[in-house]
Amino acid sequence: MNVTEVPAIAGAYLFEPAPHADERGFFARTFDREVVRSVGIDPDGFVQDSLSRSALGVLRGMHLRSGAGEAKLVRCSAGEVFDVVVDLRPDSPTYLNKEYFELSGQTQVTLYVPAGCAHGFQALTDPADVSYRIDRPHDPAEDVTISWADPELAIPWPLPVSMMSERDRQAPSLADVLDRLRREFVTAEVSP
């Protein structure tokens, strides 16, 4: 398994497996604790695995969590997605940078998204299955969503959006979310 640092997002990595292919198809190791540990990520820190299935053109995002945030390993296990990460960590050297990836069931590449980064994707196939491995139990009270169409982000979504959740459709602007996160951070620092 090869590991590649993502220069535009500090602390993000791509884990590229070496599939073994034959007439039956392929076999690929998609998680290796020692490889994950080699780049400073605690492999035992992940507590939940989830899977989403999306139809062609479905958009999910842009999502992040408030509080301590949420680091995740993301992999398209079947189909293909256009994947987006935006660094929203104020102390990061890549603050407000964004990066785009095409994740595919053909390659089984896994993307590590550090806590404090917004993440979203659009399905490029019908269906597209995306697996998530997260480092904290999900708490809906900490869910934060940023408008997928925010002009400041100007994400070049490759397809017309066929469907999205009502939460994603009604999401606030990046500026509003950054203001909310700053207020929460100040409140957390002041609290005893």
Side-chain angles (χ1 to χ4, degrees):
M1 182 175 285
N2 291 323
V3 182
T4 308
E5 223 173 328
V6 177
I9 308 290
Y13 295 92
L14 290 171
F15 295 89
E16 301 172 59
H20 300 283
D22 62 24
E23 63 278 356
R24 299 169 296 165
F26 73 86
F27 173 85
R29 180 180 302 131
T30 60
F31 180 81
D32 185 312
R33 67 184 290 124
E34 294 312 312
V35 174
V36 169
R37 187 186 316 275
S38 75
V39 294
I41 299 168
D42 177 8
D44 298 323
F46 295 97
V47 299
Q48 288 183 350
D49 284 359
S50 301
L51 175 71
S52 69
R53 174 166 287 166
S54 301
L56 178 69
V58 165
L59 193 142
R60 296 179 186 260
M62 297 296 297
H63 302 153
L64 72 149
R65 290 185 52 198
S66 62
E70 171 185 86
K72 60 181 102 173
L73 291 166
V74 180
R75 178 174 52 88
C76 182
S77 53
E80 190 172 344
V81 297
F82 175 78
D83 199 274
V84 180
V85 177
V86 180
D87 190 344
L88 297 180
R89 302 166 294 173
D91 58 345
S92 170
T94 56
Y95 180 61
L96 295 181
N97 280 7
K98 56 188 178 234
E99 188 64 79
Y100 315 117
F101 309 89
E102 284 197 11
L103 301 180
S104 161
Q106 289 296 324
T107 63
Q108 296 293 315
V109 169
T110 298
L111 170 65
Y112 175 74
V113 180
C117 292
H119 174 258
F121 67 87
Q122 184 177 40
L124 300 177
T125 57
D126 187 14
D129 290 354
V130 174
S131 301
Y132 310 81
R133 180 170 277 185
I134 61 173
D135 70 345
R136 292 196 307 133
H138 181 249
D139 179 354
E142 295 178 332
D143 287 349
V144 177
T145 305
I146 300 167
S147 174
W148 63 279
D150 186 283
E152 188 174 342
L153 291 176
I155 298 168
W157 300 106
L159 300 174
V161 175
S162 65
M163 195 180 320
M164 70 176 61
S165 71
E166 189 59 30
R167 181 182 108 192
D168 289 349
R169 191 181 330 284
Q170 300 298 323
S173 70
L174 175 63
D176 288 345
V177 168
L178 291 176
D179 185 54
R180 171 188 162 186
L181 294 174
R182 275 191 286 275
R183 285 193 318 270
E184 288 177 9
F185 181 74
V186 169
T187 301
E189 280 190 331
V190 173
S191 297

